[in-house]
Amino acid sequence: MITFSFDGKHIEAEPGQTVGAALIAAGHRSWRLTRKDGKARGIFCGIGVCFDCLATISGGPNQRACLTEVRPGDVVETQEGAGHGDLAC
Amino acid sequence: MLVIGAGVVGAACAYACTAAGLTVTVVDRGAIAGGTTSAGEGNILVSDKEPGPELDLALLSSRLWQDISADLDARCLEYESKGGVVVAGSAATATGLRALTAGQRAVGVDAVDLDQDELFQLEPNISRDVVGGALYRQDAQVHPMLATVHLLRRARQAGAVVRTGTTVVAFLRDRQGAVIGVKTDPADEFYARWVINAAGTWAGQVAELAGAPVPVLPRRGFVLVTEPLPRVVRHKVYTAEYLANVASDDAGLETSVVVEGTKSGTVLIGASRERVGFDRTFSLPVLRRLATQAIGVFPFLEKVSLLRSYLGFRPYCPDHLPVIGPDPRVPGLVHACGHEGAGIGLAAATGHVIAQLLTDQRPAVDLTPLRPHRFEEAAR
């Protein structure tokens, strides 16, 4: 087992598992809030097509959780809107 | 009247002419806003023009787009009077820019010179390497396709008929040779007192078909589209080098960066200019150069992903002025074309002056420098 964090919580994953799969397995269903209405989003297509499952993974926003393999120590955060909030002006 | 071309210029002509009480039909071989209009950025700029006939038209257009957005609802058009910021990367460029703004102010452009600190206030994410710039409050942005659709919506409400998928194959003429309509494929005939050539980058071909050539040629331009972002760029921001490139006669690749945010969150990065005919081949070197220049102005872009790119053909004439007005060589034919990369911005004024011409009013701007037969006079 490898471990990573999600919004400060400790999560375990199988080696080779995607961030999305590990989060679902741990009982989490959403890790993004939409840009306009702030609605919760998680896995939809699960195969990299729909871009609904975007998350901020180890600092990089807009990464598809369904395709991104967990690396030990990853810091996954719920993404608010388009991410890149540090650049907003 | 009959308008050839359902792009933004044809739509603006239909909008202004129906408002003036004329009966209007619009034909297009493709879809509404499916050609030249579909591949631009939606610039409504006064900043990129030197004092002269094109700036007169741009100033008029800047006012008219405000009226249009009030009439059609600014939100429908994604019209934003966000203002333009031109930046200079060197002291020499900054000096040149100040000379330009002084000349522009003299003819009514709202241009404010900016020092470095003022620039950082206006655009917090801009590179600390820029030395100065100028703010143009009249510069605005509109969604080109939405604007076209809504201009035609209003024209239709006023009785206009729009026929897409209808290609003009010949001009109908009276015994004196004057144009009295067009023949189309699928087979049909449309009769009109005036035929307006608003065929964008293909206007040269339409003019040729009418036997009144105007040298409208394609200039290819790429635009990059980033992933959606929060508001990171407040104005339409471009480098002063863009001004030199717009007026250039160089056939080779030129790039000068234009960066702007959109309502949907994506940031658009233009603008390359190449004379390669109607070649639609994807060009990685051009895209790479645009991206590099954009990062030079906004360093944060280095960590932003691109979603896609698109290209379009800007309809240019050798003297970089549009062609607007009746063609004395072929009575009944009126041109509204050759706007190069400024067609969205200049569309409103173009429609307005065409409506004035066709209702025997004096056009709001002097159209003499834009007359269709000027190229033949120059060749003589």
Side-chain angles (χ1 to χ4, degrees):
Chain A
M1 289 299 245
I2 56 176
T3 61
F4 69 102
S5 78
F6 169 59
D7 288 346
K9 292 180 279 290
H10 189 80
I11 311 270
E12 293 196 329
E14 301 282 350
Q17 208 169 16
T18 64
V19 170
L23 288 173
I24 291 279
H28 296 286
R29 294 189 57 194
S30 67
W31 44 85
R32 179 168 72 89
L33 300 171
T34 59
R35 285 185 283 151
K36 285 186 183 142
D37 300 328
K39 290 185 176 164
R41 289 290 185 275
I43 294 280
F44 180 62
C45 79
I47 55 172
V49 176
C50 74
F51 285 72
D52 224 22
C53 68
L54 300 176
T56 298
I57 302 177
S58 294
N62 294 324
Q63 299 193 56
R64 285 168 286 179
C66 72
L67 294 188
T68 308
E69 249 183 55
V70 177
R71 291 163 303 180
D74 265 340
V75 179
V76 179
E77 293 164 291
T78 291
Q79 178 173 321
E80 292 192 18
H84 294 289
D86 52 318
L87 297 171
C89 66
Chain B
M1 65 179 271
L2 179 119
V3 182
I4 303 173
V8 71
V9 173
C13 289
Y15 174 86
C17 290
T18 48
L22 296 168
T23 305
V24 177
T25 302
V26 181
V27 297
D28 195 294
R29 64 176 179 182
I32 289 169
T36 314
T37 298
S38 71
E41 286 171 271
N43 288 329
I44 301 173
L45 301 184
V46 296
S47 55
D48 66 338
K49 294 162 187 72
E50 290 178 9
E54 200 187 3
L55 181 54
D56 297 342
L57 207 60
L59 282 164
L60 173 62
S61 236
S62 142
R63 290 194 297 274
L64 290 169
W65 271 117
Q66 288 178 36
D67 298 345
I68 290 170
S69 73
D71 177 26
L72 301 177
D73 187 344
R75 285 166 304 179
C76 289
L77 314 182
E78 294 188 7
Y79 174 87
E80 280 185 276
S81 54
K82 53 166 44 174
V85 166
V86 181
V87 298
S90 70
T93 310
T95 307
L97 183 59
R98 277 195 297 274
L100 176 70
T101 57
Q104 290 171 323
R105 273 191 295 272
V107 294
V109 174
D110 178 358
V112 181
D113 295 329
L114 303 172
D115 64 24
Q116 212 180 25
D117 284 343
E118 292 166 325
L119 207 49
F120 298 158
Q121 290 283 319
L122 287 173
E123 288 293 344
N125 286 322
I126 211 159
S127 161
R128 278 2 192 195
D129 294 335
V130 300
V131 302
L135 169 67
Y136 293 87
R137 294 193 191 91
Q138 289 154 322
D139 283 357
Q141 182 170 323
V142 73
H143 188 303
M145 284 88 95
L146 290 176
T148 306
V149 166
H150 286 284
L151 285 166
L152 286 175
R153 172 175 59 89
R154 178 66 89 237
R156 278 168 154 153
Q157 285 169 349
V161 173
V162 181
R163 294 277 291 267
T164 53
T166 303
T167 307
V168 172
V169 294
F171 282 83
L172 300 165
R173 294 167 191 273
D174 67 11
R175 264 177 257 157
Q176 282 75 46
V179 164
I180 53 167
V182 295
K183 246 186 171 152
T184 62
D185 174 28
D188 209 341
E189 289 180 352
F190 296 89
Y191 289 86
R193 167 74 182 82
W194 294 282
V195 175
I196 315 298
N197 175 15
T201 313
W202 295 272
Q205 294 168 21
V206 169
E208 194 75 42
L209 190 65
V214 289
V216 178
L217 298 162
R219 199 167 181 181
R220 186 172 74 178
F222 280 96
V223 178
L224 308 180
V225 185
T226 72
E227 61 185 315
L229 298 167
R231 194 173 74 149
V232 289
V233 178
R234 293 173 175 172
H235 304 82
K236 226 167 235 295
V237 179
Y238 61 92
T239 54
E241 286 74 21
Y242 177 80
L243 305 165
N245 281 3
V246 170
S248 167
D249 286 324
D250 195 334
L253 169 66
E254 295 164 8
T255 55
S256 48
V257 79
V258 182
V259 182
E260 66 199 286
T262 65
K263 282 276 190 203
S264 60
T266 53
V267 170
L268 304 183
I269 301 169
S272 61
R273 291 165 182 268
E274 292 167 280
R275 296 184 194 176
V276 289
F278 285 102
D279 180 0
R280 299 195 65 91
T281 315
F282 177 82
S283 170
L284 189 59
V286 178
L287 268 47
R288 190 174 280 140
R289 210 157 112 177
L290 278 174
T292 306
Q293 289 178 344
I295 291 166
V297 179
F298 285 105
F300 76 84
L301 287 170
E302 192 171 11
K303 295 200 187 304
V304 165
S305 300
L306 291 175
L307 290 185
R308 60 191 173 92
S309 70
Y310 59 89
L311 65 85
F313 298 103
R314 324 299 176 212
Y316 81 94
C317 290
D319 59 5
H320 302 289
L321 290 176
V323 179
I324 301 173
D327 197 315
R329 299 166 297 181
V330 178
L333 178 66
V334 181
H335 298 281
C337 56
H339 296 80
E340 199 159 348
I344 311 299
L346 298 179
T350 302
H352 183 74
V353 296
I354 291 285
Q356 288 179 317
L357 281 170
L358 302 193
T359 51
D360 297 322
Q361 295 174 64
R362 190 188 158 88
V365 294
D366 178 20
L367 297 177
T368 314
L370 312 179
R371 65 196 181 282
H373 48 297
R374 64 184 191 264
F375 307 99
E376 278 183 15
E377 293 169 359
R380 234 176 255 149

